[in-house]
Amino acid sequence: MGKAISGESMVEVEEPLSPAARLFQTRQFNCYIIAIIGCKTVFNSHVIKAGLEHTLIKHPRFSSLMVADKMGGEMRWIRTKVNVEDHVIIPNVDPNMGSPDQFIENYISNMTKTYLDDSKPLWDIHLLNVKTSEAESTAIFRIHHSIGDGMSIMSLVLACTRKTSDLNALPTIPTKKRQRSSNSGRFIRLVSYIWFVLQVICNTLVDVVMFIATSAFLRDTRTPLKGAPGVELSPKWFVHKTISLDDIKLVKNAMDLTINDVILGVTQAGLSRYLNRQYGRTGEGNAEEDAAKQKRNNLPRKLRFRAALIFNIRPSMAIEALADMMERNSKTKWGNYIGYALLPITIALRDDPLDYVREAKAMVDRKKRSLEAKCTFLSAKYIVNLLGAKVAAAISYRVISNTTMSFSNVVGPVDEISFYGHPMAYLAPSVYGHPHALTVHFQSYMNMMTISLAVDRDAVPDPHQLCNDLAESLKLIKDAVVKKGLAQESVQR
């Protein structure tokens, strides 16, 4: 990727590529961010094109080419004039087709078989006026990962939307509440702080050693969900399922957890259900025997199963700041500021479904007391600068390919929003081009939580079943909370 500067359409020199952007230009990490937007009305393409011209195209990265100087040296972003028609794809489709949901899945999967034209800014949007079981129309954003990290890009996409109830108002995104300081004495606070610092140091040292070991030799167990070598080049399949955010909050409040704790516990439970079924299959087409085995514990005793957990290193830019930047065509800090942490996933059948969320909370709390993500971000940055993007890509590739899956969670708007005047039914973001056969992403929107999966069909031939297992796991966890009366206790507190 990248071309020589011709000087024909360039209007402004921007800046050199960041180390992370250079990393995403390598063959091993030619990654794309996908944002699937379902809307409640049929698209008016003229309105959307006009909206893009007044918002997204004004962002420097969405109106820049990635080029190399005439001597073939350092690549950099160069501002250019953008023709919105080159980036908005409107295929001719049969509105009365027999299987619209299947058509959308096939269409998006076929997009992963093609690449963006690097003679234009590295993004496009596909508008499909096809009525599905969830929406009247579907838009698919495809954005190259070198443009920015997923958190920043999703915030930027949301900055292009407005509240349906007030088309002049930006979406409202929940923010984390700061914990109140303890009222304990100064000595107790000092001891607690020292203990916290010691935990951070110890946890970080252990995590960095494990990260290095993973880059060298430590591999996850070969399970049905583990991708084969070269999986990053395989076409991906995207499916999603909507579950109740209120159910997640019920478990959160009843057990004094965070949303992250609950969805990670749900993920552990769902993956355990799915893998137990996979290991229980006889492979001989005997349905009755398979059903009997799936009621038993078929999981291997020792499984190393880890997820690459994506962390945003810097605070996300406020949607208001991004909207103002596009309106005024101003500059702002931008780029890929993400770090990775390796998160052990418990694959086991538990008698008590609440054990999954308890284990998830313990692991998440430990990761919060570690600087692993910042260390991985800084190490990748320095390796790119000192040894080059190819060396950094080779190391990162070994780490990611030696784990099993990617996992992330993004907080979305609390009110219904409109995409250039089209009320949004759901939002399902994901990513592809990295060496994992399974990526699990959770995206909240209003009172819903969308589970979005990106899979390699060779490893996950039935992704809808995996979605169902995740949804069923939440139901079992919620039912256990209600049965034990924990929900009522939380209300009384």
Side-chain angles (χ1 to χ4, degrees), residues 93-95 97 100-101 103-104 128-132 135-138:
V93 296
D94 178 9
M97 64 180 66
D101 293 74
F103 171 82
I104 295 292
L128 285 72
N129 277 321
V130 176
K131 183 177 181 179
T132 64
E136 293 290 329
S137 55
T138 304

Side-chain angles (χ1 to χ4, degrees), residues 105 108-110 112-113 222-239 274-275 278 397 403-406 430-440 452-466:
E105 290 181 8
I108 302 173
S109 180
N110 287 331
T112 69
K113 301 175 184 179
R222 173 67 62 180
T223 68
L225 295 176
K226 189 80 168 66
V231 68
E232 68 277 5
L233 303 176
S234 302
K236 297 301 181 293
W237 201 269
F238 299 88
V239 302
Y274 181 84
L275 283 174
Q278 295 299 105
Y397 182 86
T403 59
T404 302
M405 60 175 283
S406 297
S430 195
V431 65
Y432 69 92
H434 57 295
H436 275 156
L438 172 63
T439 297
V440 179
S452 180
L453 305 183
V455 306
D456 175 10
R457 291 294 289 270
D458 290 336
V460 191
D462 46 0
H464 287 286
Q465 180 61 62
L466 179 52

Side-chain angles (χ1 to χ4, degrees), residues 73-93:
E74 188 177 54
M75 296 181 67
R76 60 181 60 244
W77 296 106
I78 305 293
R79 292 294 291 270
T80 186
K81 294 180 180 179
V82 179
N83 181 6
V84 69
E85 299 288 344
D86 294 336
H87 296 269
V88 180
I89 292 87
I90 308 174
N92 292 321
V93 296

Side-chain angles (χ1 to χ4, degrees), residues 247 266 353 469-481:
D247 288 350
V266 167
D469 284 334
L470 292 167
E472 179 63 20
S473 295
L474 173 60
K475 181 180 181 300
L476 292 174
I477 291 171
K478 174 198 166 187
D479 290 346
V481 165

Side-chain angles (χ1 to χ4, degrees), residues 200-214 341-342 344 363 366-373 376:
V200 170
I201 293 173
C202 292
N203 290 341
T204 301
L205 288 174
V206 171
D207 290 340
V208 168
V209 170
M210 290 296 293
F211 202 91
I212 295 172
T214 301
L342 303 184
M363 179 52 64
R366 185 199 171 284
K367 287 296 180 180
K368 289 177 181 177
R369 297 188 294 270
S370 172
L371 300 177
E372 179 183 7
T376 58

Side-chain angles (χ1 to χ4, degrees), residues 36-164:
I36 306 167
I37 301 173
C39 289
K40 298 179 179 180
T41 58
V42 174
F43 287 134
N44 184 327
S45 60
H46 300 292
V47 172
I48 292 177
K49 289 176 184 178
L52 290 170
E53 288 179 337
H54 289 92
T55 54
L56 201 64
I57 289 177
K58 291 188 176 182
H59 187 282
R61 288 293 178 268
F62 286 79
S63 56
S64 295
L65 301 178
M66 187 180 295
V67 300
D69 61 32
K70 294 180 180 179
M71 302 300 294
E74 188 177 54
M75 296 181 67
R76 60 181 60 244
W77 296 106
I78 305 293
R79 292 294 291 270
T80 186
K81 294 180 180 179
V82 179
N83 181 6
V84 69
E85 299 288 344
D86 294 336
H87 296 269
V88 180
I89 292 87
I90 308 174
N92 292 321
V93 296
D94 178 9
N96 300 314
M97 64 180 66
S99 303
D101 293 74
Q102 187 68 40
F103 171 82
I104 295 292
E105 290 181 8
N106 290 336
Y107 187 94
I108 302 173
S109 180
N110 287 331
M111 288 175 62
T112 69
K113 301 175 184 179
T114 63
Y115 301 98
L116 290 170
D117 182 358
D118 62 1
S119 66
K120 298 178 290 188
L122 298 175
W123 65 275
D124 61 15
I125 179 172
H126 298 241
L127 304 178
L128 285 72
N129 277 321
V130 176
K131 183 177 181 179
T132 64
S133 59
E134 294 180 279
E136 293 290 329
S137 55
T138 304
I140 306 107
F141 265 112
R142 178 172 56 166
I143 304 164
H144 198 272
H145 217 317
S146 59
I147 287 180
D149 60 69
M151 298 285 286
S152 297
I153 286 178
M154 290 311 302
S155 295
L156 185 66
V157 170
L158 291 174
C160 297
T161 67
R162 296 294 184 270
K163 290 182 181 180
T164 302

